[in-house]
């Protein structure tokens, strides 16, 4: 289990940009995937972007030309740069850590899934 805290959400006008950040309580170097999900009111939680341990990124089709996900293992953070925002991007955005292992001292333990508390993004005029 790793504690995750998101920040950077807020209110932005259509066409604007926001940068979300996720800070982990411990090393994410050996976490297999760091991901961003989002959930709008009355809808399911959907995967938005993912970056693997090896730096391979993937995106939902609706955001792939507008969003960029990045991972900084030296700082234990993962960011989501969001450009060209529209009303359909309004949601609570969640940071997620999946798989791999967590190392403590000289011992490593299998990691399953960890979630942040979420940060609100609202796109409106």
């Amino acid at each position: 289990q790793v504690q995750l805290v998101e920040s950077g959400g807020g209110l932005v006008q259509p066409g604007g940009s926001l940068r979300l950040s996720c800070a982990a309580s411990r090393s994410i170097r050996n976490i297999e995937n760091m991901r961003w999900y989002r959930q709008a009111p009355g809808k399911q939680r959907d995967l938005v972007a993912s970056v693997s341990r090896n730096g391979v990124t993937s995106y939902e089709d609706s955001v792939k030309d507008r969003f960029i996900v990045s991972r900084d293992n030296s700082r234990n953070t993962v960011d989501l740069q969001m450009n060209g925002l529209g009303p359909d991007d309004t949601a609570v955005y969640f940071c997620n850590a999946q798989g791999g292992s967590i190392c403590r001292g000289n011992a490593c333990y299998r990691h399953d899934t960890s979630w942040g508390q979420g940060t609100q993004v609202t796109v409106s005029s």
Side-chain angles (χ1 to χ4, degrees):
Q1 175 80 357
V2 56
Q3 305 300 312
L4 304 172
V5 179
E6 304 94 334
S7 63
L11 176 65
V12 63
Q13 294 188 359
S17 298
L18 282 175
R19 187 177 184 88
L20 305 183
S21 183
C22 172
S25 62
R26 58 184 64 196
S27 175
I28 62 169
R29 182 167 45 254
N30 296 305
I31 300 295
E32 186 60 38
N33 294 294
M34 296 299 300
R35 294 174 169 176
W36 286 95
Y37 287 76
R38 67 184 180 185
Q39 186 169 25
K43 296 187 176 181
Q44 68 180 8
R45 186 166 57 189
D46 294 326
L47 177 64
V48 177
S50 178
V51 54
S52 75
R53 187 189 314 194
N54 297 321
V56 178
T57 59
S58 62
Y59 300 91
E60 181 187 30
D61 286 343
S62 66
V63 309
K64 63 181 179 182
D65 295 324
R66 301 182 293 120
F67 290 10
I68 301 173
V69 63
S70 59
R71 174 176 181 167
D72 189 342
N73 291 334
S74 68
R75 295 181 177 272
N76 299 324
T77 59
V78 57
D79 290 355
L80 184 67
Q81 177 65 48
M82 306 185 295
N83 303 313
L85 290 166
D88 289 346
D89 297 313
T90 295
V92 176
Y93 284 71
F94 297 90
C95 182
N96 167 262
Q98 182 193 46
S101 61
I102 296 175
C103 296
R104 187 186 308 165
N106 293 324
C108 294
Y109 306 89
R110 179 179 294 182
H111 174 261
D112 186 14
T113 300
S114 300
W115 290 94
Q117 84 289 347
T119 185
Q120 177 71 48
V121 172
T122 302
V123 185
S124 176
S125 299

